Amino acid sequence: MNISAIVLCGGQSSRMGYKNKCFFKLGELSFIEIVTDKLSTIFDNILLVAKDPKEYIPLGYKVVTDVFNESSSLTGIHAGLLFSSTKYNFIMACDTPLIKLELLTYLVSIIDTNCEVIVPKVRGYFEPLCAIYSKDCIPIIEDMLKKRSFKISKLFSEVNTKVVEDSVLKKYDPSLHSFFNINTEEDYKKALKIYFNIV
């Protein structure tokens, strides 16, 4: 099935000194390089959603910006879907560089044409930035954004959604490191320890 990967490169990174987390490094590579390297083994099309596209030109991928003025993860999802050339799209954030290829491959393998979203649920919480979305979600998302409704999980009750529980996810990522997002300096230190133990 033809499917694209979309990486959201936004976020204020207030807890990381307002620095762009995409360019923090694990070893020799930045988060965004690690993520796109992994994605490129599965997806032919990779799209980045960023506030300042100029920063990402050296990476060689198409970069788009939010269409709606209010910046949020949902506006990033909307922009990615809008500018994607494929119906189905795996969407993730740049600050989860520990994502496992086995998990990605599994999520792609269970795409169901009767579903608009395939989303993991870990420890009782949705993981909307490690999920697959259909372009059919665009009008619903646009309606939400016009109403200034930014909670991504609200979308899941509006469309046909397939939820993947962590009991299944652990078969492909036993430690669930794929969902470890780096928000603080402490998270970064922990990610470094994990990365050098598993790479």
Side-chain angles (χ1 to χ4, degrees), residues 1 3 5 37-43 90 92 99-112 118 120 130-132 162 164 168-169 171-173 178-179:
M1 179 175 289
I3 176 173
D37 282 355
K38 289 180 179 180
L39 293 175
S40 65
T41 66
I42 299 175
F43 304 97
F90 173 74
M92 67 172 293
I99 194 162
K100 289 271 198 176
L101 286 174
E102 294 85 352
L103 183 84
L104 285 178
T105 303
Y106 172 69
L107 291 176
V108 171
S109 75
I110 60 169
I111 289 177
D112 183 341
I118 298 171
C130 183
I132 292 171
K162 178 185 289 187
V164 187
V168 175
L169 298 166
K171 296 176 184 177
Y172 306 94
D173 182 359
S178 296
F179 307 99

Side-chain angles (χ1 to χ4, degrees), residues 156-180:
F156 305 154
S157 62
E158 300 289 329
V159 299
N160 292 325
T161 298
K162 178 185 289 187
V163 178
V164 187
E165 301 288 348
D166 47 13
S167 57
V168 175
L169 298 166
K170 284 180 180 179
K171 296 176 184 177
Y172 306 94
D173 182 359
S175 58
L176 298 176
H177 285 148
S178 296
F179 307 99
F180 182 70

